[in-house]
Amino acid sequence: MGLLITAAHLSAIAGKATPLMPGLLEWINKLCPQYEIDSAQEYAHFLAQACVESDHFKTLQEYASGAAYEGRADLGNCKAGDGIKYKGRGIFQTTGRANYLQLGIKKGRRDLFINHPDLLEQAEYAVWSACEYWAGRSLNDAANHGDQDILKKKYHGKVLDLSPVEFISISINGGYTGMVQRKAYYLKARQVFEQSV
């Protein structure tokens, strides 16, 4: 039996409780163990990233309009309006037509999220999409390294030496946005789980 995440854990990591937390909690506890995200160390990394991406568990939709993603071939945004239609959603802010399509394929309904992008704002799919992303990039492997370990990651043609939290942050965000926050929330999450054991 893995760790059971509680409302106290989420509100301690985020700094306060939010209306989204009860729904997210239900699905975190149901889905994360299915993806072998079940130890304090794995949850500390996973929830720290989710906290930053969802603005402290306050939103499951990116605040920006998504217009900046218009025409982004790397996201599969090939049709007019794709940037706005497939802006960031879920606790890891899944972004872009290609990623929405991939999630539909994983669910066995190819166009599910293409036709209904707002499904990713429902707690179940918000958590599930993050678990899929995490597992698809083998981020438990990085999460289970010691904080002092150095991991190699190719980024913009260079091989970088990164700590596990940096490696996971770049894997989720695609860059360094919010890196200081991500590190701080990871340390906070570790502290929260250490105190609750």
Side-chain angles (χ1 to χ4, degrees):
M1 181 72 185
L3 181 64
L4 186 70
I5 304 302
T6 66
H9 288 137
L10 286 192
S11 51
I13 293 166
K16 67 175 188 175
T18 72
L20 289 178
M21 284 182 183
L24 292 175
L25 261 179
E26 176 189 354
W27 291 103
I28 286 167
N29 284 312
K30 276 184 186 170
L31 295 173
C32 285
Q34 294 175 25
Y35 289 84
E36 298 187 328
I37 303 162
D38 52 15
S39 71
Q41 180 73 3
E42 291 159 357
Y43 271 124
H45 278 288
F46 184 87
L47 294 174
Q49 297 295 330
C51 184
V52 173
E53 292 289 328
S54 66
D55 186 21
H56 310 87
F57 305 107
K58 282 191 260 184
T59 184
L60 298 177
Q61 181 189 133
E62 185 177 359
Y63 292 134
S65 72
Y69 304 125
E70 198 63 21
R72 285 267 305 268
D74 59 320
L75 294 172
N77 290 343
C78 55
K79 296 183 180 176
D82 278 359
I84 293 166
K85 189 172 184 183
Y86 304 117
K87 69 180 192 170
R89 289 186 175 87
I91 60 172
F92 280 3
Q93 299 295 314
T94 299
T95 307
R97 174 182 278 273
N99 291 315
Y100 279 63
L101 179 64
Q102 196 58 43
L103 287 174
I105 291 167
K106 295 249 187 215
K107 268 288 181 207
R109 292 176 59 195
R110 188 177 190 279
D111 292 332
L112 178 64
F113 302 107
I114 294 294
N115 294 334
H116 308 283
D118 54 338
L119 281 176
L120 290 176
E121 294 172 49
Q122 295 178 11
E124 175 183 0
Y125 294 117
V127 174
W128 172 78
S129 60
C131 289
E132 280 289 336
Y133 193 91
W134 187 269
R137 285 151 186 82
S138 304
L139 294 179
N140 263 355
D141 293 347
N144 284 306
H145 275 273
D147 290 343
Q148 306 312 313
D149 289 357
I150 299 297
L151 306 180
K152 303 267 186 203
K153 183 168 188 66
K154 197 162 189 178
Y155 180 71
H156 291 305
K158 294 183 181 137
V159 177
L160 305 180
D161 289 336
L162 303 169
S163 69
V165 71
E166 290 169 336
F167 183 99
I168 291 168
S169 296
I170 290 173
S171 297
I172 286 175
N173 177 259
Y176 285 86
T177 305
M179 186 64 80
V180 171
Q181 262 191 308
R182 291 167 199 275
K183 289 179 177 179
Y185 283 109
Y186 165 65
L187 292 175
K188 177 74 175 165
R190 278 204 39 195
Q191 185 183 31
V192 165
F193 289 126
E194 281 164 12
Q195 290 169 350
S196 68
V197 171

